[in-house]
Amino acid sequence: MTQPQAIKLEQDIEKARRVLGQRNLVFVGLMGAGKSAIGRLVAQMLEVPFVDSDHEIERVSRMTIPELFVAYGEPEFRALEARVIKRLLKTGPRVLSTGGGAFMNDTTRGMVIANGLSVWLKADLDVLWTRVSKRDSRPLLKTANPKQTLSDLLDQRYPVYAKADVTVQSRDDDKDIIAAETVLALARLDSGQETVPIA
């Protein structure tokens, strides 16, 4: 990074911190979009704590997400997820990574909109599939045709994710670049510029 780029990034970070204030920066998007990886980097850049709602759910329930799905089903899991996210949103500032279905829940989405600043990490199907097909731990993809299931989820969820405050394109690029673009998108909110998706 050149010195002018480094100075610009520092300015963007300061603006992003101002925009965030005491709120949580909440990452939303489909599984495989990079919410945890990018969220962690953005938290480091903003010098605020990072928390992953799925890890927090596993910690409080003492069960893994797949185990919770099997034992209680998706509706019960979503209710638990909403309670955990509600608690996490009470303190900030911090960066919060959420599960793919969290923002789809009307209650959870309402809480995020009221108490946080949301970032949709938007990724194309092929990018998502390349990432999620490497692991066999996604309860929603335990179907006869998991790639088609992922495609269906994309069709259902993208119109709702689009309600997020900021959209950043997730792709096969250096994670630091995506994190810097997220900070830039937040910084633009400070100057009152029109929020435009970063492509």
Side-chain angles (χ1 to χ4, degrees):
M1 189 181 290
T2 65
Q3 190 176 1
Q5 286 174 320
I7 292 168
K8 172 77 168 69
L9 181 58
E10 269 308 312
Q11 291 170 340
D12 288 343
I13 287 169
E14 280 309 309
K15 287 180 182 177
R17 281 197 194 115
R18 234 183 352 251
V19 168
L20 191 58
Q22 294 302 305
R23 295 178 292 178
N24 283 271
L25 184 64
V26 184
F27 278 83
V28 303
L30 264 182
M31 59 185 92
K35 300 183 297 288
S36 294
I38 303 302
R40 204 170 267 115
L41 286 172
V42 170
Q44 288 169 5
M45 292 165 83
L46 299 180
E47 297 178 348
V48 296
F50 170 80
V51 64
D52 182 310
S53 67
D54 279 354
H55 293 168
E56 192 63 14
I57 290 164
E58 291 181 337
R59 188 183 70 75
V60 298
S61 67
R62 298 196 176 123
M63 295 172 78
T64 66
I65 302 295
E67 286 168 349
L68 285 164
F69 264 79
V70 169
Y72 301 108
E74 189 174 357
E76 277 301 311
F77 171 77
R78 295 297 169 206
L80 171 61
E81 182 177 55
R83 289 194 300 274
V84 167
I85 290 174
K86 180 180 182 180
R87 179 174 54 80
L88 293 171
L89 286 171
K90 285 181 179 170
T91 25
R94 73 172 135 210
V95 173
L96 172 61
S97 166
T98 62
F103 204 64
M104 300 302 295
N105 180 300
D106 291 341
T107 305
T108 303
R109 187 169 62 255
M111 289 187 298
V112 169
I113 289 167
N115 304 298
L117 193 61
S118 51
V119 177
W120 173 24
L121 275 187
K122 182 180 183 182
D124 297 333
L125 177 62
D126 289 339
V127 171
L128 295 170
W129 177 246
T130 301
R131 293 174 182 173
V132 301
S133 59
K134 292 174 184 166
R135 290 197 326 218
D136 187 31
S137 60
R138 311 281 185 175
L140 294 179
L141 295 186
K142 294 195 181 300
T143 61
N145 187 341
K147 187 172 185 182
Q148 184 58 51
T149 303
L150 185 62
S151 177
D152 293 344
L153 285 170
L154 188 145
D155 292 341
Q156 292 161 17
R157 292 180 175 182
Y158 275 26
V160 178
Y161 292 154
K163 296 177 181 181
D165 296 298
V166 170
T167 300
V168 176
Q169 191 70 36
S170 179
R171 57 198 184 277
D172 285 329
D173 215 331
D174 192 289
K175 290 183 181 70
D176 290 318
I177 293 172
I178 314 287
E181 287 176 355
T182 303
V183 169
L184 170 62
L186 296 172
R188 284 179 174 172
L189 296 178
D190 180 63
S191 57
Q193 290 180 35
E194 199 65 35
T195 308
V196 291
I198 306 286

